[in-house]
Amino acid sequence: MPSQTTHTQAPLLSGTDLTKGYGRTTALRHASLAVDRGESVAVMGPSGSGKSTLLYCLSGVVIPDGGEVLFDGVRVDELPEARRTDLRRSDFGFVFQFPGLLPELPAAENAALPLMLEGVGRRDAVARARELFPTLGLEGLERRRPGELSGGEAQRVGIARALVLEPAVVFADEPTGSLDTRTGDEVMSLLVSTVRDRRAALVLVTHDERVAERCDRIVHVVDGRTVTEPRTAR
Ligand code: ADP
């Protein structure tokens, strides 16, 4: 387990000077991004600019060719694959454009799945998942199947599932991409506030300026390079 005390001054998660190429394509050119507990960072940029590659490098899915990724004082890019997989399971949560819920399971059980996969008994896991429902505006929907939920509700169940293991960092890739503007706004508000209240860090990839503006900082990725906007007064 990474120590929580040795790097009190350093950000919780940082990628520094990251480079990554795929054959003749250069996806990242000395890109950097850091995020702290309770902080949210939006990653914006045109399609193909390297946003997903940056997210994958930070979350230990992809190993950069150069630079370093530090999570709580640990060099993620130097960990063997099995340790990176463990880290993703125990310390990172993921929210995608589509929540990918299992249609035959009630909402609370969908949200409880990561706990059950960790070996927590069904009853305990579901009870813990249900605790997240009121904060995410899902109270009363615990027993509904995904087919009985709206798009926004299903995405909030996806957020509950990402939060149920109490991750230190939540990565979200276009979490409102499949929702209408109003529903997307609601889901974003809940995502940002819930992650902040739980003192987790949020790294969110989006094309949508409105979505990005809800975060504490915006990092623009242009042709594999990162440009950080000054911190907004929020
Ligand atoms: P974005 O998320 O901003 O759309 P990506 O990080 O997905 O950008 O991609 C950056 C560049 O790297 C693009 O030119 C893309 O085609 C390329 N790329 C990304 N992943 C791969 C891969 N697995 N194999 C080959 N090229 C890739």
Side-chain angles (χ1 to χ4, degrees):
M1 265 290 119
S3 146
Q4 300 203 345
T5 51
T6 46
H7 288 260
T8 44
Q9 298 307 311
L12 176 65
L13 174 71
S14 64
T16 309
D17 210 17
L18 300 175
T19 57
K20 178 69 189 174
Y22 294 104
R24 311 183 80 169
T25 306
T26 305
L28 291 180
R29 303 168 199 263
H30 307 284
S32 298
L33 186 152
V35 65
D36 226 325
R37 284 177 202 283
E39 191 184 35
S40 53
V41 178
V43 180
M44 292 198 80
S47 190
S49 59
K51 302 180 300 294
S52 305
T53 306
L54 179 59
L55 199 87
Y56 294 150
C57 286
L58 290 168
S59 54
V61 176
V62 162
I63 301 293
D65 300 331
E68 61 176 46
V69 178
L70 273 173
F71 169 68
D72 214 2
V74 172
R75 276 290 292 268
V76 175
D77 53 303
E78 290 181 340
L79 292 176
E81 187 170 342
R83 293 263 328 267
R84 282 186 280 118
T85 305
D86 285 348
L87 185 70
R88 279 199 297 279
R89 259 198 224 130
S90 58
D91 292 271
F92 297 162
F94 294 87
V95 181
F96 303 101
Q97 183 172 351
F98 297 99
L101 305 176
L102 297 182
E104 67 275 18
L105 290 186
E109 294 197 27
N110 264 291
L113 271 179
L115 283 167
M116 292 193 243
L117 293 173
E118 289 291 302
V120 177
R122 194 185 192 97
R123 272 176 77 108
D124 284 351
V126 172
R128 277 167 64 182
R130 289 176 76 111
E131 286 171 16
L132 284 160
F133 274 49
T135 342
L136 290 166
L138 290 168
E139 199 159 25
L141 304 181
E142 293 85 350
R143 303 173 84 92
R144 294 243 189 121
R145 301 278 190 292
E148 300 162 331
L149 299 172
S150 71
E153 289 163 351
Q155 188 57 300
R156 282 180 273 146
V157 175
I159 294 171
R161 186 186 52 196
L163 292 173
V164 80
L165 284 175
E166 302 188 6
V169 185
V170 174
F171 295 94
D173 200 347
E174 296 284 2
T176 59
S178 64
L179 305 173
D180 63 69
T181 308
R182 197 171 137 209
T183 313
D185 279 354
E186 275 167 25
V187 168
M188 259 312 290
S189 297
L190 285 164
L191 177 61
V192 171
S193 62
T194 314
V195 171
R196 185 177 290 143
D197 289 350
R198 299 169 79 85
R199 298 290 300 149
L202 175 65
V203 182
L204 179 140
V205 168
T206 181
H207 279 100
D208 190 337
E209 190 90 35
R210 286 166 61 95
V211 168
E213 278 172 0
R214 292 178 176 265
C215 294
D216 297 315
R217 263 184 308 131
I218 302 180
V219 171
H220 293 275
V221 184
V222 183
D223 201 17
R225 295 187 172 84
T226 39
V227 184
T228 304
E229 259 184 36
R231 180 182 286 271
T232 48
R234 215 162 296 161

